[in-house]
Amino acid sequence: MDKLQQQAISTVRVLAAETVERANSGHPGMPLGAAPMAFTLFENMTHCPKNPDFINRDRFVLSAGHGSALLYTLLHLFGYGVTKEDLMSFRQLRSKTPGHPECDRTPGVETSTGPLGQGVANAVGFALAESMLAAKYNRDGLDIIDHYTYALCGDGCLMEGIESEAASLAGTWKLGKLIVLYDSNGITIEGSTDKAFTEDVARRHEAQGWQVIRVTNGEDADAIEAAIRLAKDDRERPSLIVVKTTIGFGSPKAGTADSHGAPLGAEGVKALKANLGMEKTKPFETPVDVQKYMAATVDRLNKAEGEWNKIAKAYKAKYPELYDALMSELKGKLSAEELSAKISPSEKDDASRSYSGNVLNALADVLPNFIGGSADLAPSNKTYLKGKGDYSAIERTGRNISFGIREHAMAAICNGVKLHGGFNVFCGTFFVFSDYMKNAMRMSAIMGLPVTYVLTHDSIGVGEDGPTHQPVEHLAALRSMPNMKVFRPADSSETVDAYVSALTGKGPTAVICSRQTLKQYPHERGEGFKGGYILADSEKEIPDVILMASGSEVGTIMQAREMLKGMNIDARVVSMPCLELFDVQPAKYRESVLPSTVRARVAVEAGSSQCWYKYIGLDGACVCMDGFGSSAPANKLFEIYGFTAENVAKVAAKTVKNNR
Amino acid sequence: MDKLQQQAISTVRVLAAETVERANSGHPGMPLGAAPMAFTLFENMTHCPKNPDFINRDRFVLSAGHGSALLYTLLHLFGYGVTKEDLMSFRQLRSKTPGHPECDRTPGVETSTGPLGQGVANAVGFALAESMLAAKYNRDGLDIIDHYTYALCGDGCLMEGIESEAASLAGTWKLGKLIVLYDSNGITIEGSTDKAFTEDVARRHEAQGWQVIRVTNGEDADAIEAAIRLAKDDRERPSLIVVKTTIGFGSPKAGTADSHGAPLGAEGVKALKANLGMEKTKPFETPVDVQKYMAATVDRLNKAEGEWNKIAKAYKAKYPELYDALMSELKGKLSAEELSAKISPSEKDDASRSYSGNVLNALADVLPNFIGGSADLAPSNKTYLKGKGDYSAIERTGRNISFGIREHAMAAICNGVKLHGGFNVFCGTFFVFSDYMKNAMRMSAIMGLPVTYVLTHDSIGVGEDGPTHQPVEHLAALRSMPNMKVFRPADSSETVDAYVSALTGKGPTAVICSRQTLKQYPHERGEGFKGGYILADSEKEIPDVILMASGSEVGTIMQAREMLKGMNIDARVVSMPCLELFDVQPAKYRESVLPSTVRARVAVEAGSSQCWYKYIGLDGACVCMDGFGSSAPANKLFEIYGFTAENVAKVAAKTVKNNR
């Protein structure tokens, strides 16, 4: 190993420790232990610090997101525009260097990480996207898309089930250009990994179809470099490089859990610097020799884009249409009006999962980069894109992805695909199993990624499968998630709106669909974009009561409205497919739909009432599901839980009376 | 294989298919394929049909819960009191035979299953509980607790990450009495497992410390029996028995995904019966020979309890106190008054996670069967039980369990421990990571299991770790879950109430604690049991405004109240530690706390506003978090997001004005 390289690695360690120290908050242990492997990787990756968005860059994911100080230090030294001052404002409000990496805040950060295991699954998504784009666009040795995806993870990521799911898929898909470096330091917060993690991680990954390479001394940069080379050479299998390291290396707390999540203290940093021969270096300073070494390194790396430009130029000349298509798909801007005009709602009454299936297929015809799949429920979720092929290690242009029964990895992989660029991506499962992937959905929301979640079998309408399969609290759970749009369409037209909104708006969208058939009622197209609208108005200017519902219960309140007429009660029916969109409409519009003078309001939804008090207040009423369902035919369940026009009319009449 | 045994297995197949057929709903594929292994297991298990609650019975978990028709058929044939009529009302309202197994509905069903992977993790919990009870109570060859735990799973369970987490722990803990039978039929809903599941499951489990036994022909009951024997003989390693089967065996749809989740149809059932030589058997009938065979088998099995009674008698004679302790712990009844009297709140101001840590330790002193642990965050969650030892393969009486960074398996294992009986169990992680275990928490709620979830770092109070670590929507998510009690205590006294309620009430409880210090305000003990109470009243009989909050924001509204005094506004302060308990108080009490005439109401909570409209209505206001947080010191965050006394007072003053 080069002496200057060694010094540069020591500089990474000291800067990371000082960064944590100054913030008086953060995680020094991992940066100190993993500095050599991460630095060596940054030297060997194809990337372009002067243009962090360079299309064909290798992707790097710090799955062990608590080691953010390591990443920021690397971005600082490798010329990504993370300054000394940025390091000094680590973990401070609105800084470029937040506690865990945030992809929309720091150049060179590919994905937001922190919740363990997510990053490895994101990396599988990056590698999946790369494999699909390469298969779709590369021609005759002109490999316009050809890059690796790297992730760095620790014991924590590898203990999480999501990693096992993602690893199993990466092996099945033979994602040979995925390389995971495992910072194996044998320590977690509660102490030695002997306590809770004695599995043979290497062998487990071999069983999952991976190449495993071992580096027995994490200080040996040459061995790390050799391992990376070996990993790159195997294009058939993803690679796990197991690197034995010492947590908190060089500090007095080396090898202990104490070094993990708390600053070393002034004395600790002093001792670290002394141990690394850097006692004379001022805080946050990079030795001049290292500066020079880094300048040369960065110059070398920055040439990557120029090399690729040559290929891109030749490609553009030979395949101008493909080139334009690729660039446009990587940009990924869609217009809601244009898209909406291309998709027609179904006419006949059907289950909203079927409306959804039709829209998905229509979108797939219109958008060649529309891809997705289900967690082994495509026939039930109606997510299969007909005639669009099945993605596999052999057929990488297939647009249907079989994720297997792995909801959590599925969602996190979709996040990776979306972050990579080039695709509109959706994934599906039963609504109740959104629980299995909730944190990955939250990561879509935090990052504002327009991943579309197709969640069918949305209530007790599931019927015989019983309470474990009947969502109750899930609408409330997703609606309370910031940045998540939740659409529960009542008919085919609202379903089209849901998908158009999902593909053209910001952030993720959950499209919640019924298993059972829904009756359609006539209304203008595009009403769904408002989130809530008057589907059937009262005859009086001021209605006696407002009935509101989403999805399958819109039909119920429409029927109830008819019954109420017979009771001389004049009801307005409001369909509310997306509360989030309704809430951001102008106040005047919202007032026109739900006039504040009308306090007799009834919300009907086969889910938790929690979402509805905002609209019904203390004087309204709701017909909702605040307990678990049961196993029985769906019709029976709707009846016993009160989701009948009769019951709604009764509740509405009482509410009118109470508000007189 | 015995001819009668073969006939009995054929009867299982036909009955299961007829059960699904009559319901016109359900999953015949798995019962047909797995009938020989499941039947052979039921013949070889130690169980006692005449007393399904026999203490020392082997536990059986149908992790592939969609195969419920198989389980019900076995319970029918093995004399568990599941009648022919019960089979005929499969999947009907309030029947004993719901769509997926429900443990509180059918004798012989140990746990509710359906969501894949949960059952295997439950089984790890059963085996863990057995190992702890055995170590604690068995003496001198008098093994009063000594049983196996079996699970039957399919490809679906094994793809889910929770299974990998649970398997890794079972291997680490060397749970040699755990035996999982894997119905390996190579088919999932989307088709062949080649599409999404090419991992070497056997080798993966070996890497995780398991013994793996292969049965290449799932029709060979002798081979299955031999495999079970081999599995039982290895007391050091959990065993996976990989049994190659054919989904839908004997039916025209055999070997295809079509047989998985839809009835075979009348013709299909007819063909099945013909193939199995049972064309003459009437629907739901058991051939006389099989009846006799089963009667003899059941007689034999029923002797198990008598055998155990002998041991129990000898044990009781020699160790009367231990015997009584065991019986009392298995019964597990606690009185809230008695428990409450034994636990004192802390006096000094502290973080509620520290109040929680004190209560957990006090409970551990009082209750010898109080056990639990964290997903590698014990020092942060303050969940460590001091002086109570660490559970491990070597020290099975340790009461602190290191689950590793595996939230999902942790929660599902705790469900298994609780279902087994003998323990009060808790588990902890950061509140934000409740997302990772949400479906297992839902299973606690569905089954009404009093598992206690200790969820610390409950808001933007987390500070520098940033949005990925700051819960926002999680209170709304858990509060909308039926049967889940969510306690967010404001002080030490409320924290005691939370745990007493958790341990003596029904169903699961989540105790949500702060990272940061909370100021304590004087009030009576036990107020927390009411869920919401007046902490500081207005001077007027009718307050100008009601301020309500939970946890850390109670201090904020107490300060705001003082400020409002200076503005001549008379505020009542209501602490709402548990909305679920408040909602079930008598209407008169609720009215006394929140009089309906007072519409000026302000809710303050550093979480989603969704939970609060129920109490503030259309005329109130809230200071809540409806967006994600940021990385910065906590004080800074509370300030910028409006959680200051100044801002609350301002909002309250405006609300008073609007309601005049």
Side-chain angles (χ1 to χ4, degrees):
Chain A
M1 180 167 34
D2 193 288
K3 203 190 143 203
L4 278 170
Q5 191 189 24
Q6 181 63 64
Q7 269 189 26
I9 291 170
S10 294
T11 304
V12 172
R13 285 177 157 141
V14 169
L15 284 174
E18 287 175 340
T19 294
V20 172
E21 195 60 27
R22 187 181 161 96
N24 195 25
S25 170
H27 302 77
M30 183 278 205
L32 291 176
M37 60 201 273
F39 185 86
T40 307
L41 176 61
F42 263 59
E43 286 193 298
N44 284 278
M45 280 200 307
T46 300
H47 56 142
C48 188
K50 73 175 174 193
N51 178 14
D53 297 328
F54 161 46
I55 290 173
N56 199 42
R57 70 192 179 279
D58 289 345
R59 265 53 168 192
F60 172 72
V61 175
L62 184 72
S63 191
H66 54 273
S68 57
L70 171 62
L71 180 54
Y72 301 144
T73 302
L74 290 170
L75 294 173
H76 172 59
L77 290 178
F78 280 83
Y80 271 86
V82 172
T83 65
K84 184 171 143 179
E85 289 68 33
D86 291 327
L87 296 182
M88 290 167 77
S89 53
F90 181 54
R91 297 186 152 229
Q92 304 308 304
L93 194 64
R94 297 182 196 105
S95 80
K96 224 187 246 185
T97 51
H100 289 81
E102 298 179 21
C103 61
D104 43 3
R105 202 171 272 279
T106 321
V109 173
E110 300 281 1
T111 174
S112 298
T113 51
L116 294 174
Q118 299 289 336
V120 175
N122 292 165
V124 173
F126 281 105
L128 172 66
E130 195 268 350
S131 79
M132 290 188 291
L133 281 181
K136 189 171 169 186
Y137 285 105
N138 292 349
R139 293 283 185 286
D140 315 327
L142 287 173
D143 291 349
I144 191 159
I145 297 293
D146 178 16
H147 70 77
Y148 287 87
T149 300
Y150 296 92
L152 200 167
C153 74
D155 292 294
C157 291
L158 292 164
M159 282 195 243
E160 291 287 4
I162 185 176
E163 195 279 335
S164 186
E165 292 179 3
S168 186
L169 276 172
T172 297
W173 292 335
K174 299 188 193 297
L175 295 174
K177 291 162 85 178
L178 170 68
I179 298 171
V180 176
L181 289 91
Y182 166 26
D183 172 34
S184 175
N185 60 32
I187 293 290
T188 67
I189 291 175
E190 293 187 4
S192 161
T193 48
D194 290 347
K195 289 175 84 168
F197 195 42
T198 57
E199 74 172 50
D200 184 337
V201 175
R203 199 165 166 215
R204 195 242 297 167
H205 280 79
E206 282 165 358
Q208 292 177 318
W210 290 51
Q211 168 181 224
V212 178
I213 303 161
R214 286 165 185 80
V215 175
T216 51
N217 175 9
E219 293 302 303
D220 185 346
D222 294 338
I224 293 163
E225 201 176 319
I228 294 171
R229 215 174 303 121
L230 216 57
K232 289 171 75 169
D233 284 349
D234 189 332
R235 294 283 193 118
E236 280 293 303
R237 290 177 298 172
S239 294
L240 180 74
I241 306 178
V242 183
V243 187
K244 279 282 159 205
T245 60
T246 304
I247 191 170
F249 182 93
S251 81
K253 292 178 181 171
T256 73
D258 289 346
S259 72
H260 166 77
L264 299 174
E267 285 306 307
V269 175
K270 204 175 153 188
L272 172 76
K273 291 176 82 164
N275 286 341
L276 299 176
M278 286 183 67
E279 53 273 73
K280 287 183 187 154
T281 313
K282 284 188 200 150
F284 294 96
E285 205 175 78
T286 301
V288 178
D289 287 354
V290 174
Q291 286 185 29
K292 284 184 193 157
Y293 179 80
M294 291 313 304
T297 304
V298 171
D299 271 354
R300 175 176 60 77
L301 293 173
N302 275 335
K303 294 195 176 101
E305 193 168 17
E307 293 302 314
W308 179 80
N309 280 339
K310 290 179 207 160
I311 297 170
K313 201 175 156 189
Y315 186 92
K316 189 178 176 181
K318 202 161 172 191
Y319 306 106
E321 282 170 22
L322 280 177
Y323 182 86
D324 289 347
L326 172 61
M327 291 304 138
S328 137
E329 288 177 359
L330 285 169
K331 202 180 287 164
K333 286 264 175 270
L334 292 172
S335 138
E337 285 82 29
E338 284 175 31
L339 197 58
S340 206
K342 289 176 188 164
I343 314 290
S344 303
S346 321
E347 286 185 9
K348 75 174 179 72
D349 293 347
D350 211 336
S352 55
R353 61 173 167 151
S354 298
Y355 300 145
S356 164
N358 292 342
V359 179
L360 288 169
N361 274 280
L363 287 167
D365 287 339
V366 175
L367 303 171
N369 71 340
F370 189 67
I371 62 160
S374 163
D376 196 49
L377 287 168
S380 298
N381 298 146
K382 311 275 182 198
T383 48
Y384 195 75
L385 307 178
K386 287 167 202 129
K388 302 297 184 284
D390 294 333
Y391 177 84
S392 74
I394 295 155
E395 189 42 70
R396 300 212 187 266
T397 54
R399 289 162 61 189
N400 288 285
I401 303 169
S402 280
F403 289 100
I405 302 155
R406 306 184 184 91
E407 299 80 8
H408 204 177
M410 172 174 74
I413 287 170
C414 288
N415 286 339
V417 168
K418 195 70 219 172
L419 285 161
H420 183 280
F423 296 97
N424 288 295
V425 65
F426 71 90
C427 62
T429 184
F430 285 157
F431 188 22
V432 81
F433 298 134
S434 60
D435 278 350
Y436 273 69
M437 58 184 183
K438 186 134 183 278
N439 193 264
M441 296 180 81
R442 187 174 206 256
M443 292 308 298
S444 308
I446 284 186
M447 293 189 266
L449 298 177
V451 171
T452 306
Y453 293 94
V454 184
L455 303 168
T456 73
H457 295 63
D458 70 345
S459 72
I460 47 170
V462 165
E464 291 90 341
D465 274 346
T468 55
H469 284 55
Q470 293 163 356
V472 170
E473 69 276 30
H474 301 77
L475 284 164
L478 292 189
R479 285 177 182 151
S480 61
M481 185 183 283
N483 298 357
M484 175 65 71
K485 250 183 313 186
V486 181
F487 254 102
R488 187 169 183 249
D491 63 12
S492 181
S493 170
E494 288 184 10
T495 309
V496 175
D497 296 346
Y499 281 105
V500 170
S501 168
L503 266 71
T504 59
K506 281 181 183 168
T509 303
V511 185
I512 314 296
C513 301
S514 73
R515 177 184 183 227
Q516 75 277 19
T517 295
L518 309 184
K519 189 168 156 40
Q520 307 208 73
Y521 296 92
H523 63 93
E524 300 276 306
R525 276 221 34 203
E527 296 276 31
F529 295 132
K530 299 178 200 157
Y533 64 95
I534 301 170
L535 175 61
D537 209 354
S538 51
E539 282 165 24
K540 303 181 197 166
E541 199 179 333
I542 309 278
D544 295 329
V545 62
I546 299 172
L547 306 178
M548 58 187 101
S550 81
S552 49
E553 285 68 67
V554 170
T556 315
I557 60 173
M558 284 295 281
Q559 284 180 274
R561 177 171 173 267
E562 291 306 311
M563 286 190 171
L564 287 165
K565 275 187 193 163
M567 298 155 81
N568 254 328
I569 295 172
D570 191 22
R572 167 181 292 179
V573 161
V574 176
S575 177
M576 301 272 273
C578 181
L579 307 185
E580 295 78 14
L581 286 183
F582 181 72
D583 288 350
V584 296
Q585 297 305 310
K588 204 174 148 189
Y589 175 75
R590 283 182 284 127
E591 176 69 20
S592 75
V593 176
L594 303 177
S596 38
T597 48
V598 182
R599 292 296 176 118
R601 301 170 174 202
V602 180
V604 184
E605 186 170 67
S608 166
S609 60
Q610 191 177 268
C611 320
W612 291 99
Y613 287 98
K614 186 173 189 175
Y615 309 101
I616 61 169
L618 302 177
D619 307 305
C622 53
V623 177
C624 289
M625 275 297 289
D626 287 317
F628 291 113
S630 325
S631 170
N635 291 345
K636 192 80 197 164
L637 294 175
F638 280 114
E639 190 189 310
I640 65 161
Y641 292 116
F643 296 94
T644 59
E646 290 76 11
N647 186 49
V648 171
K650 203 175 92 186
V651 171
K654 196 174 157 200
T655 307
V656 170
K657 198 176 148 200
N658 290 344
N659 277 280
R660 246 170 213 150
Chain B
M1 181 166 32
D2 193 288
K3 202 189 144 202
L4 278 170
Q5 191 190 24
Q6 181 63 63
Q7 270 190 26
I9 292 169
S10 294
T11 305
V12 171
R13 285 177 156 141
V14 169
L15 285 175
E18 287 175 339
T19 295
V20 172
E21 195 60 26
R22 187 181 162 96
N24 195 23
S25 169
H27 301 76
M30 184 277 206
L32 291 177
M37 60 201 275
F39 184 86
T40 308
L41 177 61
F42 263 58
E43 285 194 298
N44 283 277
M45 280 201 306
T46 299
H47 57 142
C48 188
K50 72 175 175 193
N51 178 14
D53 297 329
F54 161 44
I55 289 173
N56 199 42
R57 70 192 180 278
D58 289 344
R59 265 55 167 191
F60 172 72
V61 174
L62 185 72
S63 190
H66 52 275
S68 57
L70 171 62
L71 180 53
Y72 301 144
T73 302
L74 290 170
L75 294 173
H76 171 60
L77 290 178
F78 280 84
Y80 271 86
V82 172
T83 64
K84 184 172 144 180
E85 288 69 33
D86 291 326
L87 295 182
M88 290 167 77
S89 54
F90 181 53
R91 295 186 153 228
Q92 303 309 303
L93 194 64
R94 297 184 196 105
S95 81
K96 225 187 244 184
T97 50
H100 289 81
E102 298 180 20
C103 61
D104 43 3
R105 202 170 272 279
T106 321
V109 173
E110 300 281 359
T111 175
S112 299
T113 51
L116 295 173
Q118 299 289 335
V120 175
N122 292 166
V124 173
F126 280 106
L128 173 66
E130 194 268 351
S131 79
M132 291 188 292
L133 282 180
K136 190 171 169 189
Y137 285 105
N138 293 349
R139 291 284 185 286
D140 315 326
L142 287 173
D143 291 349
I144 191 159
I145 299 292
D146 179 16
H147 69 78
Y148 287 87
T149 300
Y150 296 92
L152 200 168
C153 74
D155 291 293
C157 292
L158 292 164
M159 284 196 240
E160 291 287 3
I162 185 175
E163 194 280 336
S164 186
E165 293 179 4
S168 187
L169 276 172
T172 297
W173 292 335
K174 299 188 193 298
L175 295 175
K177 291 161 86 180
L178 171 68
I179 299 170
V180 175
L181 289 90
Y182 166 25
D183 171 33
S184 175
N185 59 32
I187 292 289
T188 67
I189 291 175
E190 293 187 5
S192 161
T193 50
D194 290 347
K195 289 176 85 168
F197 195 42
T198 58
E199 75 172 49
D200 184 337
V201 174
R203 198 164 167 215
R204 196 244 294 168
H205 280 79
E206 282 165 358
Q208 292 177 318
W210 289 52
Q211 168 182 224
V212 177
I213 303 161
R214 286 168 185 78
V215 175
T216 50
N217 175 9
E219 292 302 303
D220 184 347
D222 295 337
I224 293 163
E225 200 176 319
I228 294 171
R229 214 174 305 120
L230 215 57
K232 288 171 76 170
D233 284 348
D234 190 332
R235 293 286 192 115
E236 279 291 304
R237 290 177 297 172
S239 294
L240 181 74
I241 305 178
V242 183
V243 187
K244 279 281 162 209
T245 61
T246 304
I247 191 170
F249 181 94
S251 82
K253 292 179 181 170
T256 73
D258 289 346
S259 71
H260 166 78
L264 299 175
E267 287 305 308
V269 174
K270 202 175 154 189
L272 172 77
K273 291 176 83 164
N275 287 340
L276 298 177
M278 287 183 66
E279 53 272 76
K280 288 184 188 153
T281 313
K282 285 189 199 149
F284 294 97
E285 204 175 79
T286 301
V288 177
D289 287 353
V290 174
Q291 286 184 30
K292 282 185 196 159
Y293 179 80
M294 291 313 305
T297 304
V298 172
D299 270 353
R300 175 176 59 77
L301 293 172
N302 275 335
K303 295 198 176 101
E305 192 168 18
E307 293 301 314
W308 179 79
N309 280 338
K310 290 180 207 159
I311 297 171
K313 199 176 160 191
Y315 185 92
K316 189 178 176 183
K318 203 163 171 191
Y319 306 106
E321 282 170 21
L322 279 178
Y323 181 86
D324 289 347
L326 172 61
M327 291 304 138
S328 138
E329 288 177 359
L330 285 170
K331 201 180 291 166
K333 286 264 174 272
L334 292 172
S335 136
E337 286 80 31
E338 284 175 31
L339 197 59
S340 206
K342 288 177 185 163
I343 314 290
S344 304
S346 322
E347 286 186 7
K348 77 175 178 70
D349 293 347
D350 211 335
S352 55
R353 62 173 166 151
S354 298
Y355 300 144
S356 164
N358 293 342
V359 178
L360 287 170
N361 273 281
L363 288 167
D365 287 338
V366 174
L367 303 170
N369 72 340
F370 188 68
I371 62 160
S374 163
D376 197 49
L377 287 168
S380 298
N381 297 146
K382 311 275 183 199
T383 47
Y384 195 75
L385 307 177
K386 288 169 202 128
K388 302 297 184 283
D390 294 332
Y391 177 85
S392 74
I394 295 156
E395 189 43 69
R396 299 211 188 265
T397 55
R399 289 163 59 188
N400 288 284
I401 302 168
S402 281
F403 289 99
I405 302 157
R406 305 182 185 92
E407 298 80 7
H408 204 177
M410 172 174 76
I413 288 170
C414 288
N415 286 339
V417 168
K418 195 70 218 172
L419 284 161
H420 183 280
F423 296 96
N424 288 294
V425 65
F426 70 90
C427 62
T429 184
F430 286 157
F431 187 22
V432 81
F433 299 135
S434 60
D435 278 349
Y436 274 67
M437 57 184 182
K438 188 136 182 279
N439 193 262
M441 296 179 80
R442 186 173 208 257
M443 292 308 298
S444 308
I446 284 186
M447 293 189 267
L449 297 177
V451 171
T452 306
Y453 293 93
V454 183
L455 302 168
T456 73
H457 296 61
D458 70 346
S459 72
I460 47 170
V462 164
E464 290 90 341
D465 274 346
T468 55
H469 284 56
Q470 293 163 356
V472 170
E473 69 276 30
H474 300 76
L475 284 164
L478 292 190
R479 284 176 183 151
S480 61
M481 186 183 284
N483 297 359
M484 175 66 71
K485 249 183 315 187
V486 181
F487 255 102
R488 186 169 183 247
D491 64 11
S492 182
S493 170
E494 289 184 9
T495 309
V496 175
D497 296 345
Y499 282 105
V500 170
S501 168
L503 267 69
T504 59
K506 279 181 185 170
T509 304
V511 185
I512 314 296
C513 300
S514 73
R515 177 185 182 224
Q516 74 277 18
T517 295
L518 309 184
K519 190 167 155 40
Q520 307 207 70
Y521 296 92
H523 64 92
E524 301 277 306
R525 277 218 38 200
E527 296 276 32
F529 295 132
K530 300 178 201 158
Y533 63 95
I534 301 169
L535 175 61
D537 210 352
S538 52
E539 282 165 24
K540 304 181 196 167
E541 200 180 330
I542 310 280
D544 297 327
V545 63
I546 299 172
L547 307 178
M548 57 188 102
S550 80
S552 50
E553 286 68 67
V554 170
T556 314
I557 60 173
M558 284 296 280
Q559 283 180 276
R561 177 172 174 267
E562 290 306 311
M563 285 190 172
L564 287 166
K565 276 186 192 163
M567 298 155 82
N568 255 328
I569 294 172
D570 191 22
R572 167 180 293 179
V573 161
V574 175
S575 177
M576 302 270 273
C578 181
L579 307 185
E580 294 79 14
L581 285 183
F582 181 72
D583 287 351
V584 296
Q585 297 305 309
K588 204 174 149 189
Y589 175 74
R590 283 182 283 129
E591 176 68 21
S592 75
V593 176
L594 303 177
S596 39
T597 48
V598 182
R599 293 295 176 119
R601 302 171 173 202
V602 180
V604 183
E605 185 170 68
S608 165
S609 60
Q610 191 177 270
C611 320
W612 292 98
Y613 287 97
K614 185 174 189 173
Y615 310 101
I616 61 169
L618 302 176
D619 307 304
C622 54
V623 177
C624 288
M625 277 296 289
D626 286 317
F628 290 114
S630 326
S631 170
N635 291 345
K636 192 81 197 164
L637 295 175
F638 281 114
E639 191 189 310
I640 64 161
Y641 292 116
F643 296 93
T644 59
E646 290 77 10
N647 185 52
V648 172
K650 205 174 91 187
V651 172
K654 197 174 155 200
T655 308
V656 170
K657 201 175 146 200
N658 290 346
N659 278 280
R660 244 169 216 149

